[in-house]
């Protein structure tokens, strides 16, 4: 089974494409953003600590996110992981590589989803997700078929993220360029980096990712 990282700024489509890979290839999606949101909504001590940081659009500490990923990886058998939103700093990238070595796993590819900044504001401010099954929607590009009801599971628990505002997005973009974009050079140097154009339709981007993964 392959292990892949999806890398890109907020709104690049990492979560959407990760869900496709889960469906089409039976991979396991490891999204630190989802794990942190879960901790937040279940009201754990850690969730309370990270809530404000997340809502402002800043990064949570390396210690917390590495701990979350380590917990998931240690409980998993075999590989087949898609890392979505992790790693976001060089320290996280080093920690991931150590964890994978410990598990006897390796990283097959890091897919950089390239998009231009102008597209991100529109993508992010229009998006909402199903609180029950996690399906991702967009007001303009992917509305639900019936107003207010999830196409996939029928739930009416459709939610917008508190950090999907223009102000929090500015902070998230800054964090991406300052802390995360150095990973592009890091994985290029490790000969793991592959680039796809993230601006196409969901199907077109999925097809590009499939090409990259099947080429090895
Ligand atoms: P995401 O759903 O990936 O956009 O993540 C939402 C928020 O969770 C981010 O803006 C950060 O506040 C936090 N977060 C998620 N993943 C990480 C990470 N790997 N390192 C630090 N903070 C993270």
């Amino acid at each position: 089974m392959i292990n892949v990282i999806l890398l890109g700024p907020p709104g690049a489509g990492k979560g959407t494409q990760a869900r496709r890979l889960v469906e089409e290839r039976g991979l396991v999606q490891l999204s630190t953003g989802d794990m942190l949101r879960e901790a937040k909504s279940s009201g754990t001590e850690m969730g309370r600590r990270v809530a404000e940081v997340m809502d402002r659009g800043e990064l949570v500490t390396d210690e917390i996110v590495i701990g979350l990923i380590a917990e998931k990886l240690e409980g998993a058998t075999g590989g087949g992981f898609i890392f979505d939103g992790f790693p976001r700093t060089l320290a996280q990238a080093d920690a991931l590589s150590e964890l994978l070595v410990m598990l006897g796993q390796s990283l097959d590819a890091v897919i950089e989803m390239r998009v231009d900044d102008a597209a991100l504001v529109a993508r992010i401010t229009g998006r909402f997700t199903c609180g029950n099954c996690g399906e991702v929607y967009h007001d303009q590009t992917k509305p639900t078929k019936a107003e207010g009801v999830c196409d996939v599971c029928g739930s009416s628990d459709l939610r917008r993220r508190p950090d999907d505002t223009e102000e929090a997005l500015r902070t998230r973009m800054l964090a991406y360029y300052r802390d995360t974009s150095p990973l592009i050079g890091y994985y290029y140097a490790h000969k793991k980096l592959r680039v796809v154009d993230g601006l196409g339709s969901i199907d077109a981007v999925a097809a590009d990712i499939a090409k990259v993964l099947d080429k090895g």
Side-chain angles (χ1 to χ4, degrees):
M1 286 289 249
I2 52 171
N3 298 310
V4 189
I5 293 173
L6 297 181
L7 189 64
K14 301 183 294 294
T16 301
Q17 295 298 332
R19 290 175 61 81
R20 288 281 289 247
L21 290 166
V22 169
E23 263 170 44
E24 290 167 10
R25 296 179 187 243
L27 298 180
V28 176
Q29 178 184 9
L30 295 179
S31 157
T32 41
D34 285 349
M35 294 172 206
L36 290 164
R37 275 185 289 279
E38 209 175 290
K40 228 177 99 174
S41 65
S42 61
T44 61
E45 169 59 28
M46 190 261 281
R48 269 195 298 276
R49 267 197 290 155
V50 299
E52 266 184 50
V53 175
M54 288 177 73
D55 289 354
R56 278 200 304 269
E58 286 164 12
L59 293 186
V60 168
T61 63
D62 287 336
E63 195 193 347
I64 288 179
V65 287
I66 291 167
L68 285 170
I69 285 284
E71 209 174 288
K72 294 277 178 184
L73 289 181
E74 279 153 14
T77 50
F81 304 114
I82 321 164
F83 297 94
D84 154 18
F86 178 90
R88 263 176 156 99
T89 63
L90 290 167
Q92 292 177 22
D94 282 335
L96 176 61
S97 112
E98 278 170 30
L99 282 166
L100 289 173
V101 167
M102 256 163 39
L103 289 167
Q105 295 282 327
S106 59
L107 187 61
D108 295 279
V110 176
I111 300 180
E112 183 200 348
M113 302 179 63
R114 205 167 275 179
V115 284
D116 66 53
D117 291 359
L120 299 178
V121 178
R123 280 192 180 189
I124 293 258
T125 51
R127 86 173 164 187
F128 55 100
T129 57
C130 173
N132 182 47
C133 75
E135 187 68 0
V136 186
Y137 295 97
H138 189 279
D139 294 326
Q140 277 84 45
T141 55
K142 195 187 162 191
T144 52
K145 291 195 180 86
E147 169 100 36
V149 182
C150 176
D151 298 353
V152 176
C153 73
S155 167
S156 52
D157 179 15
L158 300 173
R159 304 178 181 178
R160 287 180 199 268
R161 284 170 47 167
D163 59 344
D164 275 353
T165 59
E166 277 201 62
E167 197 190 340
L169 179 59
R170 262 196 298 279
T171 309
R172 289 157 71 200
M173 295 295 295
L174 193 68
Y176 178 76
Y177 287 114
R178 188 187 53 213
D179 299 316
T180 309
S181 67
L183 297 184
I184 295 170
Y186 174 97
Y187 285 119
Y188 173 78
H190 285 85
K191 300 198 169 12
K192 299 290 183 198
L193 191 75
R194 307 285 181 271
V195 181
V196 301
D197 175 4
L199 282 175
S201 67
I202 293 172
D203 285 342
V205 177
D208 281 354
I209 291 176
K211 239 184 277 166
V212 165
L213 294 181
D214 294 334
K215 213 165 37 191

